[in-house]
Amino acid sequence: MTEPATPPGARRRGVLFDVDGTLIDSSYIHTIAWWGAFRQYGHDVPMAAIHQLVGMGGARLVDNLLPSGRDRGEDEDIMASHGALYASHWPSLRALDGAKELLGQCHAGGLAVALASSARQRDLQVMRTVLDADAFIDAATSANDAEESKPAPDILEAALAAVGVDAADAVYVGDAVWDMQAAAALGIPSIGVTCGGIQAAQLRDAGAVEVYEGPRDLLENLGSSAIGRLLALQPNR
C-alpha cells in the first residue's frame, strides 16, 4: 500500500469503494451461487429476488428470502454452500472496464482509497488480485471488520478508520441500494453505478447523489462528480 500525497497538517480526504458489482463484475455470479445454495437445501428462490438483495450481508439476505418458520439451523450451511459455489467461479472473475484506472486517478489526485467490502477475506484477496491495483489502494475491509453487514454502516466506519478519513471528507461508490443506505447513515455522499444490475432510479431513491453506468463512465466524468469536488479541495491541485 502507498500513502496519498497529503501535506502534514492537511485534512485527509478519501474515496471508499464497494467491490462486488462496483469494481468486479460479480453480482450475477453471486446470484447464481445463492440460487444454487438455496436449491441444495430445498428452497426454490427466484433469481430476480436474490439479485435485488446481493450486496446485503449473507445472514440478512438469507433471512429476507426464506420463510420465517424455516429451520434456521441450516442458515450457516446455506451460506457456506454459497461461499463454495462462488469460489468455483473465481477463475471467471473480471474487473469492470475502467476500475483500475479509476482507483489510480483517485490515488494520483491525493485521495486516500479504501475498499469498503463486506466480502469474505479470501474472496476479497482474489478480487484484489483480479483488480491488480494494490499500488493505488490504501486499505481494504472484509466481513471480519464489521459486526453488522450493510445496510448497517459498520464496514464504511471500518474503512474510514483504516485510512484516517472523517465521514465529512469522504465519498462512497457502490452498486447496491444497501451501499447507498449505509453511506446515508454516516452522511457520506454516495455515487451509484448500474454495472451491478440495479437501476439508476432505485439507487437515487436510496440516496445516491449521482449515478453512472460503471467505473469507466465515472472516470470519464470524474471532474464534475462528487469525487471531483473532493479532488478540487486537495492542496496539490
Side-chain angles (χ1 to χ4, degrees):
M1 296 186 296
T2 59
E3 291 292 327
T6 303
R11 289 171 61 178
R12 198 174 193 199
R13 300 178 177 88
V15 188
L16 314 181
F17 289 90
D18 174 55
V19 182
D20 275 303
T22 299
L23 300 174
I24 298 290
D25 194 6
S26 56
S27 289
Y28 290 95
I29 294 176
H30 274 296
T31 299
I32 292 170
W34 279 118
W35 180 78
F38 286 134
R39 285 180 64 85
Q40 285 180 359
Y41 287 87
H43 302 289
D44 192 2
V45 183
M47 285 192 186
I50 296 170
H51 178 255
Q52 289 296 311
L53 299 189
V54 167
M56 180 182 282
R60 289 181 187 270
L61 182 147
V62 171
D63 203 41
N64 275 271
L65 289 173
L66 295 187
S68 58
R70 70 186 182 280
D71 176 7
R72 294 175 180 268
E74 292 182 344
D75 287 9
E76 289 291 337
D77 293 332
I78 292 172
M79 288 188 283
S81 178
H82 159 263
L85 290 169
Y86 180 72
S88 72
H89 291 278
W90 282 347
S92 301
L93 292 177
R94 296 291 182 271
L96 285 155
D97 181 38
K100 181 177 181 178
E101 295 91 333
L102 176 60
L103 297 175
Q105 194 65 31
C106 291
H107 182 270
L111 300 176
V113 175
L115 303 183
S117 172
S118 55
R120 298 178 307 167
Q121 183 62 46
R122 57 181 178 169
D123 290 334
L124 178 62
Q125 189 54 54
V126 169
M127 291 190 290
R128 289 185 68 163
T129 299
V130 171
L131 277 173
D132 187 29
D134 275 359
F136 311 133
I137 297 168
D138 299 286
T141 65
S142 71
N144 297 337
D145 297 305
E147 289 188 15
E148 296 289 334
S149 62
K150 299 171 191 173
D154 297 27
I155 285 291
L156 277 67
E157 290 177 318
L160 289 171
V163 291
V165 171
D166 292 333
D169 297 316
V171 170
Y172 183 50
V173 184
D175 71 298
V177 166
W178 327 113
D179 294 321
M180 308 302 109
Q181 293 178 353
L186 298 179
I188 300 174
S190 57
I191 296 175
V193 287
T194 58
C195 46
I198 301 301
Q199 295 180 356
Q202 291 175 271
L203 296 172
R204 289 194 181 95
D205 287 346
V209 297
E210 303 160 359
V211 180
Y212 299 89
E213 292 180 0
R216 177 66 64 189
D217 187 23
L218 174 54
L219 179 63
E220 292 176 351
N221 293 280
L222 200 61
S224 60
S225 73
I227 296 175
R229 290 189 283 279
L230 278 186
L231 286 168
L233 295 172
Q234 285 299 101
N236 60 327
R237 299 292 286 183

